[in-house]
Amino acid sequence: MIKRIQEWLSRKDRQEPVEISPDNIPRHVAIIMDGNGRWAKRRGLPRIVGHQNGMKAVKRATIAANDLGVEFLTLYAFSTENWSRPKDEVDFLMRLPVEFLAIELDELIHKNVQVRVMGNAEALPSHTRKAMEEAVARTQSNTGLILNFALNYGGRKEIEDCMRGLGKDIQAGVLSPEEITSELIDSRLLSGGLPDPDLLIRTSGEMRLSNFMLWQVAYSEFWFTDAYWPEFDKTHLMQAVAEYQRRTRRYGGLK
C-alpha cells in the first residue's frame, strides 16, 4: 500500500496541466538521464530492463523537445566514471546506442534532427563508435533540432584537455596568455559551436551535476524531478520549461 501511495505521489505533479509560452522556449536543454537501475529495481527487474526503457525515454524526450521548438538537446548518455560499473552492464550500455540508432535513425532523419556526439570516442567499442559516426554522417546536413549525445564524457577531463591544448599553444608561441578569453575556452571545449544550456534537467531526485558540463552550466537554470528517467515524458519536459519561464535570469546582475 505504501509503495502504491509513493508511486501515486510521484505521478501527481506530471498530471497537473502545464501552460508554457512559445515566446520563451530555452534554446538549449541538457538532461542528466538518471534512475534507470532504480526504476527497474523498484519493479523487481534486472537493471538492463531499466536501461532499455531509458532508451524509449530518449526518443520521447527528443520528439518532445523538437515539438516545443528546442534547438539543442544534450543528453548525458555515459560518463567517464561509468566504466567502473560491472562489465556486463557496461557492455550492454555500449550496445544501446547501436540498437537505438538502428531503430530510430531513419525517423530522426525524417524529422530533420542532426545528431552530434561529444566525448572520448576513441575509447568506445568499435561497434558503438561506428553507429555514432554513421548517425553523425547521415544527419550532418539536417537543419532542425541538434541532438547531442554526451558519450564517454567527463566535464573535468574536458576542461583538462582544453587547458592542456591552450598550454601547448602558448609553449609553441602561437598564443599568449592575454589572448585567453571565455569565448576562446568555449570554442575549445567539446561543446564548441553550441550555446551554453539554458536549462539543465536531472531525473531521479538526485541534485548534483555528476561531472556534467561544468563550465557550460555556469548560468543555466536547474530543474530536478523525482521521476526516474524511464518515466520521463513530454509532460515532464513541459513542466521544466514552464518553471524555466517563471524565473528571471540575471547572470549575476540586477534586473
Side-chain angles (χ1 to χ4, degrees):
M1 177 62 74
I2 293 176
K3 183 177 179 181
R4 288 182 179 178
I5 292 173
Q6 289 173 334
E7 290 178 347
W8 177 82
L9 289 173
S10 70
R11 293 194 301 266
K12 182 177 180 293
D13 286 343
R14 60 177 192 162
Q15 291 172 349
E16 296 176 353
V18 178
E19 294 185 6
I20 60 175
S21 168
D23 299 325
N24 187 23
I25 301 296
R27 291 186 68 207
H28 187 174
V29 175
I31 305 180
I32 300 174
M33 306 180 293
D34 193 22
N36 289 345
R38 278 165 286 167
W39 178 90
K41 183 178 180 180
R42 287 186 62 177
R43 289 158 176 77
L45 300 169
R47 287 177 59 86
I48 61 172
V49 177
H51 294 312
Q52 286 174 327
N53 281 272
M55 187 174 67
K56 297 175 183 177
V58 169
K59 179 178 180 180
R60 290 196 301 269
T62 302
I63 293 173
N66 193 45
D67 290 345
L68 290 178
V70 173
E71 298 177 41
F72 308 89
L73 178 65
T74 295
L75 301 178
Y76 201 9
F78 191 88
S79 76
T80 50
E81 292 74 33
N82 287 155
W83 294 108
S84 63
R85 294 185 178 188
K87 184 178 183 302
D88 288 348
E89 182 174 353
V90 171
D91 290 345
F92 183 83
L93 288 170
M94 288 295 104
R95 291 195 299 271
L96 278 181
V98 181
E99 182 179 344
F100 174 78
L101 292 168
I103 297 171
E104 308 295 349
L105 184 55
D106 286 342
E107 184 172 353
L108 292 176
I109 293 172
H110 177 72
K111 289 185 176 295
N112 199 30
V113 172
Q114 182 184 134
V115 176
R116 294 191 189 180
V117 185
M118 67 178 192
N120 179 12
E122 294 303 315
L124 297 173
S126 58
H127 59 275
T128 308
R129 187 167 62 250
K130 181 180 178 182
M132 300 308 299
E133 288 173 350
E134 179 185 355
V136 170
R138 290 183 60 191
T139 63
Q140 62 182 344
S141 61
N142 289 354
T143 59
L145 171 74
I146 291 178
L147 175 58
N148 182 39
F149 288 101
L151 189 60
N152 194 24
Y153 170 88
R156 287 186 172 183
K157 180 67 164 55
E158 176 185 38
I159 295 172
E160 288 173 8
D161 290 344
C162 176
M163 296 302 104
R164 191 174 294 113
L166 293 173
K168 288 180 178 179
D169 285 350
I170 292 173
Q171 190 175 44
V174 299
L175 181 70
S176 70
E178 292 73 24
E179 293 176 295
I180 297 177
T181 63
S182 293
E183 291 76 19
L184 179 61
I185 294 173
D186 284 340
S187 70
R188 296 290 190 95
L189 295 175
L190 294 173
S191 58
L194 302 182
D196 290 341
D198 300 293
L199 174 63
L200 173 73
I201 296 171
R202 180 164 187 156
T203 59
S204 86
E206 303 293 350
M207 297 185 183
R208 56 180 177 269
L209 290 177
S210 297
N211 201 20
F212 182 54
M213 301 188 84
L214 301 178
W215 172 275
Q216 297 91 331
V217 300
Y219 285 103
S220 301
E221 296 296 326
F222 291 5
W223 187 81
F224 302 100
T225 175
D226 289 335
Y228 296 125
W229 177 245
E231 300 167 332
F232 194 87
D233 59 19
K234 185 173 183 176
T235 304
H236 290 108
L237 181 59
M238 291 181 68
Q239 276 192 310
V241 171
E243 176 60 29
Y244 169 86
Q245 293 183 344
R246 285 192 287 268
R247 300 178 186 177
T248 301
R249 305 183 73 190
R250 297 183 177 85
Y251 299 96
L254 297 176
K255 291 184 179 180

